[in-house]
């Protein structure tokens, strides 16, 4: 398990410890003799709920580690794993900020963990069940042709990587959408109802998209931003093709 993955897992574990300590503090307040019965009952319910969340999320953290080490899934732990990630990812980000850790480092770590967890499921989907989601900033900024609604409006001039990605679409037959934001991305998901998604975006949009798409498996590919964010970005076409081939069962590792 490399350093990138350890960063997210370490912050996730630390977040669980913090919440567990909070639950212990509430437990102490419950049995403070100066508190009324009603007060104690309310806090008792709160600590039981917190304890349940911590216990379930700890099982999810164990499931994530076992899955990464064994490179295979443990079905009984899938639910707790989703709970751990969805509930404690924001806590891990907040903890990272307190420790002055760059949020993009944490998000890249999360994307790596997610990608390995998805690959451990050894899925095999048909090309028509696969959706490639792309950010609009991959398109050349001065291109006069609008392709966010109909990606086939692209003239394939070669000034950006969209033409090469369309070549992949022709080669494999998957669905493809160019999104200007989360709303349009969710529209594509509702429209195509994919069993799996390959998503290209910056760290921020990838992490939010992965969490929003749950339980649909998403392989994330981070875009490259030589001119800064959201302007004439690009992506490794070979990495995108590798993710597509993986989902289609063409190069299982």
């Amino acid at each position: 398990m490399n350093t990138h993955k350890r960063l997210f897992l370490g912050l996730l574990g630390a977040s669980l410890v913090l919440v567990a300590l909070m639950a212990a503090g509430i437990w102490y307040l419950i049995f403070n003799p100066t508190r009324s019965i009603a007060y104690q009952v309310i806090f008792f319910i709160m600590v039981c709920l917190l304890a349940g969340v911590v216990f379930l999320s700890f099982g999810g953290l164990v499931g994530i580690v076992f899955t990464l080490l064994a490179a295979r899934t443990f079905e009984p732990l899938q639910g707790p794993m989703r709970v751990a990630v969805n509930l404690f990812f924001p806590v891990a980000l907040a903890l990272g900020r307190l420790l002055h850790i760059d949020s993009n480092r944490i998000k890249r770590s999360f994307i790596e963990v997610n990608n390995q967890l998805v690959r451990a499921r050894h899925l095999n989907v048909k090309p028509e069940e696969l959706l490639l989601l792309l950010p609009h900033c991959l398109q050349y900024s001065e291109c006069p042709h609008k392709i966010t609604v109909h990606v086939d409006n692209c003239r394939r001039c070669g000034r950006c990587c969209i033409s090469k990605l369309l070549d992949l679409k022709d080669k494999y037959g998957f669905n493809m959408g160019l999104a200007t934001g989360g709303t349009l991305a969710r529209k594509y998901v509702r429209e195509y109802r994919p069993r799996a998604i390959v998503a290209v975006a910056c760290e921020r949009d990838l992490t939010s998209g992965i969490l929003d798409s749950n339980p649909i498996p998403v392989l994330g590919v981070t875009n490259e931003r030589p001119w800064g964010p959201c302007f004439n970005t690009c992506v490794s076409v070979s990495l995108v093709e590798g993710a597509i081939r993986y989902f289609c069962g063409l190069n299982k590792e």
Side-chain angles (χ1 to χ4, degrees):
M1 199 183 302
N2 64 31
T3 307
H4 293 304
K5 298 187 185 77
R6 289 196 190 102
L7 175 60
F8 172 68
L9 293 176
L11 288 172
L12 189 64
S15 300
L16 285 172
V17 171
L18 284 176
V19 175
L21 290 173
M22 186 187 302
I26 296 173
W27 182 265
Y28 170 78
L29 290 174
I30 289 174
F31 294 101
N32 189 320
T34 64
R35 305 298 183 182
S36 67
I37 296 297
Y39 182 94
Q40 291 180 351
V41 168
I42 291 171
F43 270 80
F44 181 75
I45 294 171
M46 288 176 60
V47 79
C48 286
L49 290 173
L50 273 175
V53 168
V54 169
F55 181 77
L56 194 63
S57 299
F58 179 76
L61 180 59
V62 170
I64 290 171
V65 173
F66 280 179
T67 300
L68 293 177
L69 292 175
R72 69 181 187 88
T73 57
F74 297 86
E75 286 303 324
L77 294 176
Q78 290 300 305
M81 285 164 61
R82 284 196 289 270
V83 171
V85 171
N86 289 338
L87 287 182
F88 284 90
F89 179 68
V91 182
L93 278 180
L95 183 59
R97 282 194 293 270
L98 288 175
L99 298 174
H100 304 290
I101 300 173
D102 179 47
S103 62
N104 278 339
R105 278 189 62 204
I106 301 171
K107 290 170 184 175
R108 282 193 295 270
S109 177
F110 166 73
I111 292 164
E112 286 194 30
V113 169
N114 168 79
N115 286 353
Q116 191 166 335
L117 292 176
V118 170
R119 288 177 179 273
R121 295 172 65 177
H122 302 290
L123 298 167
N124 192 346
V125 304
K126 299 175 182 177
E128 59 269 22
E129 298 172 325
L130 177 63
L131 173 62
L132 174 61
L133 271 177
L134 305 170
H136 71 99
C137 55
L138 287 178
Q139 184 181 16
Y140 178 56
S141 60
E142 297 182 15
C143 180
H145 305 290
K146 185 177 177 62
I147 62 174
T148 51
V149 177
H150 298 292
V151 72
D152 289 321
N153 286 341
C154 175
R155 298 300 186 266
R156 307 197 186 200
C157 67
R159 300 193 73 174
C160 64
C161 62
I162 298 295
S163 59
K164 293 181 180 179
L165 295 169
L166 282 170
D167 290 341
L168 291 183
K169 179 177 180 290
D170 294 341
K171 179 179 179 180
Y172 295 104
F174 53 81
N175 298 301
M176 180 172 165
L178 206 75
T180 54
T183 301
L184 188 54
R186 286 187 287 272
K187 176 182 177 292
Y188 286 130
V189 173
R190 290 194 302 270
E191 178 182 343
Y192 292 113
R193 297 184 178 276
R195 286 187 56 211
I197 298 172
V198 176
V200 177
C202 62
E203 291 86 353
R204 182 194 64 185
D205 291 346
L206 265 183
T207 51
S208 62
I210 289 168
L211 294 171
D212 286 347
S213 299
N214 204 336
I216 301 173
V218 179
L219 281 177
V221 182
T222 307
N223 63 1
E224 301 166 12
R225 303 178 287 277
W227 305 102
C230 300
F231 182 78
N232 286 343
T233 61
C234 51
V235 68
S236 169
V237 176
S238 62
L239 288 179
V240 174
E241 184 173 14
I244 290 163
R245 290 178 61 85
Y246 187 85
F247 272 136
C248 294
L250 299 174
N251 63 342
K252 294 297 186 188
E253 298 174 355

